[in-house]
Amino acid sequence: MKLAFAVRPDWDVAIDAARDAARRARANGHEVAEVKLDSTALAREVAGAEVAIVFGGDGTMLRAARSLAPLAIPILGVNLGRLGFLAGGSLEELDGLLAEIGAGRFSCEERTLLEAKVRLRDGAATEALALNDVVVARGKEVRSIHVDVKIDGAPFTVYWADGLIVATATGSTAYGMSVGGPLIIPSSRAIMIVPIAPHLSFPNAVVLDVDQTIALEVLDEPARLSLDGQEEHDLHVGDRIEVRRATPVARFVRTATMRPFLTLLRKKILKEEGGPA
């Protein structure tokens, strides 16, 4: 079985862990490609891999999802960070997980990605993917901004807030939940809008159907666009961001011995490990 062991290029701990694990995997008969997630030749390097093992924390998993989802390669996270909510496995569990994967005892859970099309007032345009969220927020000045929102081309409302979050179900347990948004089971394909500190604006989160399109127009500046909290761009009055469900999906590997989502939620987010089942 061919596996891709993927790391951030700037994290020596992950690089060392992946190298050691690759040696053991090869000794057990696997073909392993060791790759960097920012490689310009990533598609060629991972060609033929049936699963990508991603070494790092949840931030690395976000990068991996954006990079590998278009290549249709399922991902398994090995947590080397603090939270480990997306990267659900550990180094100690890895050999056992690889044995399950090698025996075909695994499934893939599909997670929705967002596609953000950014159209600047000067005519320039760009596109990007996000697994957690697309956020339009105020810039360096500590004041609210106005953001005009349309849903499927129809006017919805103008928010006056510190910003707006457009999140997937996966992202509902990230920034969206921290500002009072709903928790959505990650296998759901729903998309939600959550305002950040709304001022005299509609304060509730809005959950949308999977195929609806959200258009955001910036009415104040300075403002900032953030994709998964990792890629950021300055925005100006008149800039537009169109957000919809992306065609590719992130595929998360699940084995029988991995902890289910609700168990991880109770332990990592609700801090209720050891409470009643």
Side-chain angles (χ1 to χ4, degrees), residues 11-258:
W11 196 355
D12 291 341
V13 171
I15 294 171
D16 292 342
R19 184 180 298 117
D20 290 343
R23 174 181 48 78
R24 297 195 305 274
R26 291 187 180 105
N28 288 324
H30 295 293
E31 179 185 355
V32 179
E34 298 178 60
V35 301
K36 306 291 197 303
L37 286 171
D38 67 340
S39 172
T40 57
L42 185 63
R44 174 177 55 80
E45 293 167 349
V46 301
E50 296 181 57
V51 174
I53 313 300
V54 180
F55 292 79
D58 289 343
T60 307
M61 286 292 286
L62 293 171
R63 294 173 189 267
R66 296 196 303 270
S67 299
L68 296 173
L71 304 177
I73 298 177
I75 58 179
L76 170 69
V78 177
N79 182 41
L80 303 176
R82 293 185 299 274
L83 185 60
F85 196 57
L86 297 177
S90 68
L91 277 176
E92 294 74 22
E93 297 168 326
L94 179 58
D95 289 349
L97 293 174
L98 290 182
E100 290 185 89
I101 291 170
R105 297 193 298 270
F106 71 97
S107 61
C108 292
E109 178 182 273
E110 293 189 350
R111 303 283 188 98
T112 293
L113 288 165
L114 297 175
E115 175 189 82
K117 294 185 177 181
V118 185
R119 304 181 188 280
L120 305 181
R121 62 184 180 184
D122 63 6
T126 187
E127 297 182 13
L129 297 176
L131 175 63
N132 267 356
D133 45 45
V134 175
V135 179
V136 174
R138 60 177 175 82
K140 293 181 180 179
E141 295 183 11
V142 184
R143 63 178 181 81
S144 299
I145 58 171
H146 291 84
V147 181
D148 184 27
V149 177
K150 292 183 174 63
I151 298 175
D152 289 340
F156 175 58
T157 191
V158 175
Y159 283 97
W160 185 16
D162 281 6
L164 285 181
I165 302 167
V166 181
T168 63
T170 300
S172 73
T173 54
Y175 197 178
M177 190 172 72
S178 73
V179 296
L183 187 155
I184 304 176
I185 299 300
S187 57
S188 169
R189 299 198 301 169
I191 297 170
M192 68 177 185
I193 304 172
V194 189
I196 305 167
H199 181 67
L200 300 178
S201 298
F202 182 58
N204 301 92
V206 179
V207 179
L208 303 175
D209 184 69
V210 62
D211 289 319
Q212 291 188 287
T213 299
I214 304 104
L216 313 174
E217 181 176 353
V218 178
L219 303 182
D220 295 310
E221 55 184 80
R224 193 85 168 153
L225 171 68
S226 174
L227 302 161
D228 280 345
Q230 295 181 338
E231 180 181 338
E232 296 195 349
H233 303 274
D234 288 324
L235 296 173
H236 303 281
V237 172
D239 291 347
R240 299 170 182 264
I241 302 93
E242 189 175 89
V243 185
R244 58 164 53 92
R245 176 175 60 91
T247 299
V249 295
R251 301 172 67 203
F252 281 28
V253 170
R254 305 293 306 173
T255 73
T257 58
M258 292 179 69

